Amino acid sequence: MIRRIHTGSPFEAKIGYCRAVVAGGFVHVAGTVGQGETAPEQCRSALETIGKALAEAGASFADAVRVTYYLPDAAEFEACWPVLVETFGDNPPVSTMIETNLIDPKYRIEIELTTLAPAV
């Protein structure tokens, strides 16, 4: 069974995706950007959006198994570390950081996450 979670973002309809998919024992969260001027502000905002999708799926950041961070400037990643430690605490997932262009130059970080799905 596949369950799709939508946030109502206009880009979901324009691009043809949903924020998260619950399938195969996992919750897969699409790459998510946030609002703000700095990478840490956008990181926190993106994690809030991700957290809401996880809650709708019945999961949380404590269930995270893998996270990928995409940044146009790798030098900005270190400023995000306190936000990530605060979010994942004692349950850190494996992670990868990739330096790459994002869909719009205003975005400083995009986050993609996979968690275990709640037991049914």
Side-chain angles (χ1 to χ4, degrees):
M1 182 175 111
I2 295 176
R3 181 171 159 225
R4 291 175 174 78
I5 297 170
H6 298 272
T7 61
S9 164
F11 292 105
E12 291 177 12
K14 287 179 183 179
I15 298 172
Y17 77 98
C18 57
R19 178 62 47 211
V21 171
V22 181
F26 293 96
V27 180
H28 304 276
V29 182
T32 303
V33 296
Q35 301 304 309
E37 297 300 316
T38 67
E41 290 171 352
Q42 291 184 17
C43 180
R44 186 174 302 283
S45 175
L47 290 168
E48 288 172 6
T49 300
I50 291 168
K52 289 175 186 173
L54 292 177
E56 188 172 335
S60 74
F61 288 110
D63 302 309
V65 294
R66 173 170 287 286
V67 61
T68 304
Y69 306 102
Y70 303 94
L71 291 93
D73 182 354
E76 294 182 313
F77 190 45
E78 187 171 355
C80 297
W81 295 355
V83 177
L84 302 175
V85 169
E86 176 186 320
T87 299
F88 295 108
D90 294 333
N91 303 294
V94 299
S95 70
T96 302
M97 191 285 293
I98 300 169
E99 186 176 46
T100 185
N101 290 327
L102 298 180
I103 195 165
D104 187 310
K106 72 181 179 183
Y107 295 121
R108 308 311 310 151
I109 188 168
E110 183 171 339
I111 303 170
E112 182 179 67
L113 181 80
T114 301
T115 70
L116 290 175
V120 198

